[in-house]
Amino acid sequence: MKNSLLLFGLSLFVSGVFSNLCRAPCSCVDRTVDCSNLKLKTQFNETEWNGMQSITEAKFDVNQIKHLTQYPKLPLVYLSLTHNMISTIDDGAFSNLESLTILDLSDNYLDSSHLNPNIFKGQYQPGYYAPLKNLTELKLSHNLFYTLHPDLFEHLPRLERLSLNNNPFKTLDKNTVTALSSIQSLKLLDLSATGLFSLPEYPFGTPRFLSILNLSLNRFSSIPYQLEHVESLQYLFMDDNPVISIEKFPRLPKLEVLHLNWLPKLKKIGPYSLSNLTGLKELYCHNNINLKEISATALTSIPTDASEGPVWPVLKKLDFHHNSLGYLDSNLVGRWDLLEDVNIKGNPWVCECDNQWIVEDLIPKIRALKKDHLLDGIICHEPLEMKGLSMVELQAKHYTMRCLDKYGNQPEKDGSFLLGLIIGLWFAVPFIVGAIIVYRRRNQTPKQFSRAFYKRAESSENLSDNMHY
């Protein structure tokens, strides 16, 4: 009986909460109202929001809304307005949403001339406007920003995650740098696909907490040294940039995860190039179609105290799949046995003695991880007689690979080559001799011919005389 009353009371509560919008045209589940894909051109007014005082999430994605006015007082924690046509937002539009934590305005028509600091101001207090103190994540990706208002985030003191990806910045000008530098609590910044090819000296001021930075899909030809000022950085994404080689990484001792994937021009990772990443735990460097060389000392750092030996970061994950690597040095990583993931498949491996350690040592370590997919595709591409063989099968057969000489010659094929050469000469010599005779005869003058005939005749007569006696 008690349970029945409880369910009845709950049904009355839900029907009261979702009395208006949830009947039509939106749908409601739990405490979420979803008004997406309805071709809405304006947002709902305060009357239409009546009865929705317990809703915490609202979605108005994929509509045709152009102008945002002030929202009524609602307990919204999450508000999404992606894929609309928003170009104008009234000052204080979100001031009544005091619990708002995540605001998604991506995929609209916003630019710096229509997005000013007053849009994010909170409730008016005697003499000042309170901030939106609970907003921690703001998504502004896929808009039309070339720059930012320098005071844009002054009413967002707790902003931690900011997405500006897929905006046509091309450069971080002074106003933009000022705006970014003002976000004291910033932890994540996404600047991917913004056309950047360089960074100013202090692109984010002196951030205390910035730990995740995404610079993928830009135009960097080298790793920007200015990142050295982001001392708290733990995750860095540099995927899909026209980086040609990596010679020296900026000093980032707290960096734990590095992504260097899909770099179409990358050819080489040089000696000691990653030595400043002493805290690195995960290195993802895959699908770099021109990457043929990773130096044996790329991850090695030399302590200032000469009495100590080289030092390596304690890696947990290493991903080198689908590059153009022929060789991998066993000294690249200090402790291969501590790795929890090792992916080297899809490379054109040269199966010779310099890579014997992969067969004998690395393959068993990968097998011990009990992740069979990591063993697939570790295939020999050179030398020719080894092409197509699996290193996993070679390890199972305890196969010992031979050594190539420094010119890449294949001594075991020399016998066949010499035999073919002798046979070729055997057939070629008669033709060469015959060709020389024919050539000489064709080039003799009548006088030379008669002299030759005379000498042969004279020789014959002398021979007859000698025989007569």
Side-chain angles (χ1 to χ4, degrees), residues 372-441:
D372 292 342
H373 68 282
L374 296 176
L375 293 170
D376 297 335
I378 308 176
I379 306 297
C380 302
H381 280 240
E382 294 183 46
L384 186 60
E385 69 275 10
M386 303 285 285
K387 187 177 179 64
L389 296 179
S390 167
M391 282 192 175
V392 177
E393 294 177 3
L394 297 180
Q395 190 274 331
K397 297 176 180 178
H398 303 286
Y399 187 89
T400 300
M401 299 184 293
R402 66 171 178 79
C403 295
L404 294 174
D405 65 26
K406 65 179 180 178
Y407 301 108
N409 295 326
Q410 302 179 32
E412 76 286 353
K413 292 191 173 182
D414 289 350
S416 301
F417 173 74
L418 290 174
L419 179 61
L421 182 62
I422 291 170
I423 294 173
L425 290 174
W426 179 268
F427 286 102
V429 167
F431 290 102
I432 294 172
V433 172
I436 292 172
I437 293 172
V438 171
Y439 174 79
R440 292 183 64 183
R441 285 184 176 179

Side-chain angles (χ1 to χ4, degrees), residues 54-295:
S54 295
I55 208 75
T56 58
E57 296 188 11
K59 300 177 183 178
F60 291 86
D61 303 334
V62 197
N63 283 296
Q64 299 172 15
I65 300 172
K66 296 181 180 181
H67 180 196
L68 288 185
T69 56
Q70 189 178 53
Y71 280 84
K73 192 172 182 65
L74 294 166
L76 289 179
V77 174
Y78 174 81
L79 175 61
S80 180
L81 292 149
T82 70
H83 292 90
N84 277 278
M85 303 168 66
I86 301 169
S87 60
T88 307
I89 304 176
D90 286 354
D91 290 354
F94 312 105
S95 59
N96 290 319
L97 307 180
E98 297 183 60
S99 299
L100 190 62
T101 302
I102 302 173
L103 175 59
D104 193 345
L105 295 170
S106 57
D107 288 277
N108 281 288
Y109 298 154
L110 294 169
D111 59 28
S112 58
S113 62
H114 294 99
L115 196 70
N116 65 77
N118 293 328
I119 288 172
F120 300 113
K121 65 185 180 183
Q123 289 286 324
Y124 182 75
Q125 303 293 334
Y128 76 103
Y129 284 97
L132 288 180
K133 61 182 180 180
N134 289 308
L135 190 69
T136 58
E137 183 169 0
L138 177 60
K139 298 181 181 182
L140 297 172
S141 57
H142 290 272
N143 277 285
L144 303 174
F145 294 106
Y146 288 91
T147 184
L148 297 177
H149 190 290
D151 300 319
L152 181 61
F153 307 110
E154 67 176 353
H155 296 294
L156 304 176
R158 296 185 181 176
L159 186 62
E160 296 179 356
R161 304 168 69 89
L162 176 62
S163 298
L164 292 169
N165 56 290
N166 293 89
N167 279 285
F169 282 101
K170 297 185 179 178
T171 185
L172 298 182
D173 62 17
K174 183 178 180 180
N175 286 343
T176 303
V177 170
T178 301
L180 296 175
S181 301
S182 69
I183 312 174
Q184 297 299 314
S185 301
L186 188 63
K187 294 180 180 179
L188 178 149
L189 178 60
D190 189 349
L191 286 169
S192 60
T194 52
L196 298 177
F197 58 88
S198 65
L199 293 178
E201 187 64 29
Y202 294 91
F204 319 115
T206 53
R208 295 175 55 196
F209 305 108
L210 183 58
S211 58
I212 304 172
L213 178 61
N214 191 348
L215 294 176
S216 300
L217 291 157
N218 279 298
R219 297 187 293 155
F220 293 101
S221 59
S222 61
I223 307 299
Y225 73 89
Q226 295 89 345
L227 293 177
E228 193 165 274
H229 301 301
V230 192
E231 297 179 357
S232 299
L233 202 60
Q234 294 179 311
Y235 296 79
L236 176 60
F237 299 83
M238 289 294 303
D239 301 341
D240 208 340
N241 276 283
V243 176
I244 298 174
S245 67
I246 298 175
E247 302 298 335
K248 195 65 175 177
F249 223 89
R251 182 174 177 78
L252 294 169
K254 294 185 180 180
L255 192 71
E256 296 183 0
V257 180
L258 175 60
H259 286 253
L260 297 169
N261 312 310
W262 302 99
L263 305 177
K265 295 185 178 182
L266 182 63
K267 296 180 179 180
K268 177 183 178 182
I269 298 178
Y272 305 102
S273 55
L274 306 177
S275 61
N276 284 326
L277 309 181
T278 53
L280 196 63
K281 295 180 180 179
E282 300 178 18
L283 175 58
Y284 299 91
C285 183
H286 58 74
N287 290 98
N288 302 305
I289 60 174
N290 286 306
L291 179 58
K292 296 182 179 181
E293 181 182 350
I294 299 178
S295 172

